[in-house]
């Protein structure tokens, strides 16, 4: 008998009027890091509590930070830039950012450190960061000699200059930026080629500014220099998470509705804020109210119509969401610029195409240099449903397939539903409030009944 459990996602024909957006995961993680490296007490208001922010907190505790969790805020007493691992292994679990930043920070440890992660993380690309840190004086090796996790870090980061590709992962650049102030010399990062996910680099630089770290960059961010310095204690206030927001925005495109999203503000550097621009172009009314920290979406049409093309090179995390809402657009719906998602928790474009084809969606991949870069969809009002869909072990694929199931004629069965705790722990609570119904089932003898 199979032990895999599925979530049965039932069709709907309406949604209710209000939902709460969780706080930003990338903003929370960066604030935790900066506060943990400061000398003194920092406060983080409106932080996100989820698996990946918990993993970041545990990693920062393991290098010496004291983190107190209160209702609605974190209080962090930092290490003053001292990196003193108290565990034999720093476990990043499935978080690429935790693994990459801890790999860089432990270059400043006086004792060797081992950084590892779960089975999926150990398959992800890490070698460009390894090579860049070695250029800066680090002495790091891959345990399996394949450029992937786990790593052993023997220390040695001095500073200087390194080169790194801009189209693999912005987290490599973030890791070096956050580590650079602790070095003896300034660090210059020269970013080669197209820079994808630039908004995440901007978010990192914003945190460095708040913490009092000095840096310079050229106009297009292809060269960034960080000076040695001390992280100052600071107070951070986290805004809503636009990737999590995208799933609630997507459901608003499926039905006539007047939906208010709370805890979301336009004063954010998150590139995924583009989801609001995209749906506005598709015909939704988007009314932002930053004073009330909310956004109102009005869909007067129900099914959206027209031909659209969106570039996601600065907002790649919403690629699966766009695929989910695009299947119901009456017209040609194209998304490009998503090549970097092949290196995320799953190859996200390939995963969404594979699963949506099971539903009978008219979707085809778009390639650049033989790499999945996007997709083209010719949508339909509905699909039959009654399909078994795979999340590919990726919380964002699950949440997107959940949205894609809501206008099918019959319920779909999706695995991996517990992974929402990686970034959006209250996902099911919010959709229940909207009137969406679902239930857990265990298939018998490998079949869903």
């Amino acid at each position: 008998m199979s032990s895999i459990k599925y979530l049965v996602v039932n069709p709907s024909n309406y949604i209710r009027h209000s939902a709460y957006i969780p706080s930003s995961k990338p903003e929370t993680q960066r604030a935790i890091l900066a506060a943990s490296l400061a000398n003194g007490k920092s406060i983080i208001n409106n932080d996100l509590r989820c698996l990946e922010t918990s993993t970041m907190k545990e990693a920062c505790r393991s290098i010496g930070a004291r983190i107190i969790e209160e209702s609605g805020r974190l209080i962090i007493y930092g290490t003053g830039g001292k990196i003193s691992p108290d565990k034999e292994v720093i476990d990043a679990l499935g978080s690429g950012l935790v693994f990459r930043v801890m790999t860089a920070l432990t270059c400043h440890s006086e004792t060797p450190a081992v950084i590892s992660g779960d089975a999926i993380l150990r398959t992800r690309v890490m070698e460009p960061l390894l090579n860049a840190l070695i250029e800066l004086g680090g002495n790091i090796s891959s345990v399996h000699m394949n450029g992937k996790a786990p790593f052993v870090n023997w220390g040695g980061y001095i500073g200087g200059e390194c080169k790194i590709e801009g189209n693999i992962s912005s987290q490599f650049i973030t890791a070096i930026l956050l580590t650079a102030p602790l070095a003896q010399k300034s660090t210059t990062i020269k970013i080669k080629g197209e820079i994808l996910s630039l908004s995440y680099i901007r978010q990192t630089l914003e945190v460095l500014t708040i913490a009092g770290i000095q840096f310079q960059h050229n106009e297009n961010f292809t060269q960034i220099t960080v000076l040695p310095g001390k992280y100052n204690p600071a107070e951070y206030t986290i805004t809503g998470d636009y990737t999590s927001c995208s799933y609630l925005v997507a459901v608003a495109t499926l039905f006539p509705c007047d939906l208010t999203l709370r805890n979301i503000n336009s004063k954010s550097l998150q590139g995924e804020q583009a989801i609001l621009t995209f749906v506005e172009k598709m015909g939704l009314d988007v009314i932002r109210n930053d004073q009330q920290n909310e956004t109102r979406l009005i869909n007067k049409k129900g099914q959206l119509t027209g031909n659209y093309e969106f570039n996601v090179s600065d907002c790649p995390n919403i690629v699966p969401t766009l695929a989910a809402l695009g299947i119901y657009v009456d017209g040609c719906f194209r998304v490009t610029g998503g090549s970097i998602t092949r290196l995320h928790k799953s190859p996200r474009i390939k995963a969404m195409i594979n699963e949506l084809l099971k539903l009978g969606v008219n979707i085809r991949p778009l390639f650049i240099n033989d790499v999945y870069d996007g997709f083209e969809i010719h949508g339909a009002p509905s699909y039959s449903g009654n399909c078994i869909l795979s999340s590919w072990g990726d919380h964002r694929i699950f949440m997107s397939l959940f949205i894609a199931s809501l206008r099918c004629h019959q319920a779909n069965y999706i695995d991996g539903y517990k992974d929402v705790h990686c970034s959006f722990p209250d996902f099911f609570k919010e959709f229940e409030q909207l009137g969406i119904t679902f239930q857990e089932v265990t298939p018998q003898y490998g079949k869903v009944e």
Side-chain angles (χ1 to χ4, degrees):
M1 183 182 293
S2 172
S3 62
I4 297 175
K5 292 184 178 181
Y6 292 86
L7 197 75
V8 181
V9 182
N10 299 312
S12 186
N13 54 21
Y14 77 99
I15 57 170
R16 297 189 186 125
H17 303 301
S18 177
Y20 188 87
I21 307 302
S23 297
S24 168
K25 184 180 76 169
E27 288 181 16
T28 299
Q29 288 179 312
R30 285 159 174 77
I32 290 169
L33 283 161
S36 295
L37 296 171
N39 185 14
K41 174 184 175 181
S42 295
I43 297 172
I44 303 174
N45 299 305
N46 197 37
D47 62 299
L48 175 66
R49 309 279 168 96
C50 70
L51 176 62
E52 293 199 1
T53 57
S54 293
T55 305
M56 183 65 79
K57 284 180 282 191
E58 285 307 304
C60 288
R61 287 181 175 118
S62 78
I63 61 170
R66 187 159 72 96
I67 302 176
I68 301 167
E69 301 184 24
E70 297 184 346
S71 178
R73 70 174 190 171
L74 299 176
I75 297 174
I76 300 181
Y77 295 89
T79 69
K82 296 178 181 178
I83 309 299
S84 304
D86 65 355
K87 296 181 179 179
E88 291 183 2
V89 177
I90 298 174
D91 189 353
L93 301 179
S95 174
L97 184 64
V98 173
F99 179 86
R100 289 157 176 163
V101 173
M102 287 297 146
T103 293
L105 285 176
T106 51
C107 286
H108 297 296
S109 171
E110 293 182 357
T111 57
V114 177
I115 310 95
S116 191
D118 66 17
I120 292 177
L121 186 137
R122 293 196 298 272
T123 68
R124 296 179 68 180
V125 175
M126 302 294 175
E127 194 166 22
L129 175 62
L130 183 70
N131 293 338
L133 292 172
I134 290 170
E135 282 187 73
L136 296 167
N139 181 7
I140 312 167
S141 58
S142 166
V143 170
H144 299 299
M145 305 299 289
N146 61 357
K148 297 179 179 179
F151 284 172
V152 179
N153 195 333
W154 303 91
Y157 184 126
I158 297 169
E161 181 178 299
C162 68
K163 296 182 177 66
I164 198 161
E165 297 287 344
N167 64 352
I168 300 176
S169 176
S170 64
Q171 291 179 357
F172 298 156
I173 298 158
T174 283
I176 298 169
L177 290 173
L178 288 164
T179 301
L182 309 184
Q184 298 172 22
K185 303 190 299 184
S186 63
T187 297
T188 296
I189 308 170
K190 292 188 173 180
I191 305 174
K192 301 184 291 182
E194 183 181 10
I195 302 177
L196 302 177
S197 303
L198 178 60
S199 63
Y200 288 95
I201 299 171
R202 290 179 183 272
Q203 288 176 64
T204 304
L205 293 174
E206 180 183 46
V207 165
L208 291 181
T209 298
I210 294 170
I213 299 300
Q214 294 186 322
F215 59 85
Q216 299 135 8
H217 61 79
N218 60 5
E219 187 176 356
N220 59 3
F221 291 88
T222 57
Q223 183 167 311
I224 307 172
T225 298
V226 182
L227 305 180
K230 294 182 178 180
Y231 281 85
N232 295 329
E235 184 166 359
Y236 302 86
T237 298
I238 308 303
T239 64
D241 190 294
Y242 272 97
T243 304
S244 294
C245 178
S246 75
Y247 309 115
L248 291 150
V249 173
V251 77
T253 70
L254 303 187
F255 311 107
C257 65
D258 186 339
L259 176 64
T260 297
L261 303 177
R262 293 172 287 121
N263 193 41
I264 200 72
N265 197 295
S266 68
K267 295 175 182 176
S268 169
L269 294 177
Q270 296 171 62
E272 282 72 18
Q273 188 171 176
I275 189 69
L276 294 179
T277 303
F278 294 168
V279 298
E280 198 167 30
K281 289 179 179 177
M282 295 165 66
L284 265 65
D285 294 335
V286 178
I287 303 166
R288 297 170 177 85
N289 186 341
D290 285 348
Q291 286 188 330
Q292 296 295 322
N293 206 29
E294 61 186 35
T295 295
R296 183 179 171 197
L297 303 174
I298 303 173
N299 181 351
K300 299 174 182 176
K301 299 179 178 180
Q303 185 179 19
L304 303 182
T305 62
N307 299 321
Y308 305 99
E309 181 166 345
F310 300 119
N311 184 284
V312 293
S313 58
D314 198 31
C315 50
N317 274 339
I318 59 173
V319 166
T321 317
L322 290 170
L325 70 86
I327 70 174
Y328 294 112
V329 175
D330 182 10
C332 178
F333 187 85
R334 288 170 58 93
V335 169
T336 60
S339 62
I340 200 169
T341 62
R342 75 193 187 279
L343 303 171
H344 287 176
K345 283 187 185 292
S346 70
R348 287 178 172 164
I349 296 172
K350 181 179 179 181
M352 286 302 294
I353 291 172
N354 187 81
E355 300 310 306
L356 294 176
L357 284 171
K358 295 177 184 177
L359 291 176
V361 175
N362 182 354
I363 182 171
R364 69 179 183 91
L366 303 175
F367 294 95
I368 287 185
N369 298 324
D370 297 323
V371 170
Y372 281 88
D373 186 64
F375 47 81
E376 179 179 295
I377 300 172
H378 293 268
S382 189
Y383 301 90
S384 295
N386 196 31
C387 292
I388 299 174
L389 304 174
S390 171
S391 70
W392 292 54
D394 187 331
H395 56 124
R396 302 214 182 279
I397 299 299
F398 168 80
M399 290 185 278
S400 299
L401 293 174
F402 182 100
I403 300 299
S405 298
L406 295 180
R407 249 175 48 187
C408 291
H409 292 302
Q410 301 175 77
N412 290 320
Y413 302 78
I414 316 173
D415 72 4
Y417 60 94
K418 291 185 178 179
D419 290 338
V420 299
H421 72 314
C422 287
S423 60
F424 195 163
D426 289 336
F427 179 86
F428 299 119
K429 174 186 171 184
E430 294 305 322
F431 276 90
E432 276 186 315
Q433 284 188 170
L434 291 178
I436 306 301
T437 62
F438 43 85
Q439 60 272 353
E440 179 186 274
V441 298
T442 302
Q444 307 242 341
Y445 305 107
K447 294 183 179 180
V448 174
E449 297 182 348

